[in-house]
Amino acid sequence: MRFSALRILKEGLTGNKGWQAHWRDAEPKPAYDVIIIGGGGHGLATAHYLAKRHGITNVAVLEKGYLGGGNIGRNTTIVRANYGLPGNSEFYSHSLKLWEGLEQDLNYNVMMSQRGVLNLCHSDGQRDAFARRGNAMRNQGDDAELLDREGVRKLVPFLDFDNARFPVYGGLYHARGGTARHDAVAWGFARSASDRGVDLIQNCAVTGIDIEGGRVRGVQTSRGAIKAKKVAIVVAGRSSQVAAMAGLRLPIESHVLQAFVTEGLKPCLDHVVTFGMGHFYISQSDKGGLVFGGDLDFYPSYAARGNLPMAEHVMEAGMAMVPMIGQARVLRSWGGIMDMSPDGSPVIDRAPVDGLYLNCGWCYGGFKAVPGSGDALAHLIATDNPHPAATRLRLDRFATGAGLMDEEATGSQHNLH
Amino acid sequence: MRIPCPLCGMRDLREFSVRGAALPEPEGAAWSAAWDDYLHNRDNPAGESREFWYHGQGCGAWLVVTRDTVTHEIADVVLAGAEAGA
């Protein structure tokens, strides 16, 4: 079933009776070439690119709950490629290019909206840093524009430009950044993978990873044993638990990141805007709710809910930057569980077990990485070589200290990112 | 979340900062696989966890907090020095 304007017209005229399920709810087979543990955005994207680019379709995606029920369904939907360091820079650049063609690739409306991401600066030093970052982005082939105060005012006149502590000095504008509809991204990848023959198996919790002679042989699940030549762990938020089944201890701590959404409002905020002093970022969803968030709560947590101090900090930062949002009522807040790595950057690499692959450590940046991550992991699984855009996302960089990607320059240590 | 400081009593989360998993420091100052493991790798339990917390906005004590990372329930808090038997 392909989506098209003609199809929508036809269905509209015939009572919408012709739509079918977007993917097959498959039963597990005894064996596969590749098993992907985790039916979230990254896992489903991996399945899509394995099938599409590499012709590998004897693949199962095992999901312990329902497809797209984890962090792909509870993020703040921002897509961008404004990183400064080698490694992250080319990877997120690649991912953004895939985002730009994703709807055509998947024949699925993911509501990709390149509404622009604006990072505000509030000091000369910060402006200098943004100039440097912007140049790095442009050298990478991406877009960046350093705006002065008046340039920012043209885009977002409602900011508190003369805030006593944090006056707005300018901003770095990344016009190709924006937002996408997070659930549709999962559904689009799921549909494409399923159509190409991948088995998407829900309610199938992996309980063990079978290893013989240093090589992975398959997995144990709540629905029986399944053999596989290759297994990928793509379960950010729960990476430590699944990796432990293979005897691995990862450089990851799980932390909670809160997010908030207000009641629906008329369109008032056209871009993604981030505050440069204190952690705060905001956009307006197509439904009208203001979607915003801040920093981690900064203690390890699997609770999927945070505590009040960070909620208060986020509200305070929001009021300091955009006083007009004070009238809006918060509808709900939630917490997602983040795989935090010591340097704040991800890992796509072979595990120290033959045939086992790791995709983890996405910190609070997993959503924008979804297509790039799927493409890179599929390439790694299919060829056993890293994708050219992901050669630096190595697991051993913490041990060697070579190629750390510490964007905030706070050090490669837990609790600093 | 509130933490019962052994010196100050029950105090608000705002007064504390977490300082990471309470792990024993490896022997020797030279770089080794043990130091890499100590600095980077974590059990990262979903459940009971032992962590250092610093009561920076209170008495300044370092604490070892035994805490459930799923429920945020705190089972035990002791002074870090006492815990190590130092």
Side-chain angles (χ1 to χ4, degrees), chain A residues 363-386:
Chain A
C363 300
Y364 25 68
F367 180 68
K368 62 184 168 289
V370 163
S373 165
D375 193 21
L377 180 59
H379 188 278
L380 182 67
I381 292 170
T383 68
D384 261 321
N385 283 307

Side-chain angles (χ1 to χ4, degrees), chain A residues 238 240-241 249-254 298-303 305-309 312 342 398-399 412 414-415, chain B residues 1 12-14 18-21 23 31 36-37 39-47 51 53 67 69-72:
Chain A
R238 288 277 174 173
S240 298
Q241 281 72 41
R249 241 169 129 242
L250 297 179
I252 282 173
E253 275 188 2
S254 295
F298 276 113
Y299 48 82
S301 175
Y302 289 88
R305 65 173 189 279
N307 269 288
L308 267 180
E312 286 176 353
F398 307 106
S412 178
H414 288 293
N415 288 316
Chain B
M1 199 155 77
D12 189 87
L13 172 64
R14 287 169 182 79
V18 70
R19 308 303 289 173
L23 301 169
W31 182 249
D36 167 42
D37 197 48
L39 288 172
H40 302 124
N41 296 331
R42 296 289 178 264
D43 289 334
N44 193 23
E51 301 152 346
W53 285 73
R67 191 177 64 92
T69 58
V70 177
T71 63
H72 294 168

Side-chain angles (χ1 to χ4, degrees), chain A residues 185-198:
Chain A
V185 174
W187 302 333
F189 276 120
R191 171 171 167 270
S192 170
S194 181
D195 282 354
R196 288 179 159 86
V198 172

Side-chain angles (χ1 to χ4, degrees), chain A residues 124-160:
Chain A
D124 288 328
Q126 206 170 25
R127 184 167 48 203
D128 288 349
F130 277 6
R132 195 160 59 239
R133 176 179 294 249
N135 285 334
M137 289 159 64
R138 292 173 76 120
N139 284 336
Q140 182 71 38
D142 292 316
D143 71 286
E145 192 183 348
L146 192 63
L147 301 178
D148 63 9
R149 202 174 143 87
E150 291 316 305
V152 171
R153 203 189 290 276
K154 268 185 212 156
L155 291 181
V156 282
F158 43 76
L159 300 182
D160 185 1

Side-chain angles (χ1 to χ4, degrees), chain B residues 18-74:
Chain B
V18 70
R19 308 303 289 173
L23 301 169
E25 210 171 276
E27 296 286 319
W31 182 249
S32 63
W35 271 101
D36 167 42
D37 197 48
Y38 169 73
L39 288 172
H40 302 124
N41 296 331
R42 296 289 178 264
D43 289 334
N44 193 23
E48 191 173 284
S49 178
R50 289 176 70 253
E51 301 152 346
F52 288 122
W53 285 73
Y54 174 56
H55 197 183
Q57 305 289 318
C59 61
W62 283 69
L63 311 173
V64 175
V65 175
T66 306
R67 191 177 64 92
D68 190 308
T69 58
V70 177
T71 63
H72 294 168
E73 216 170 334
I74 290 166

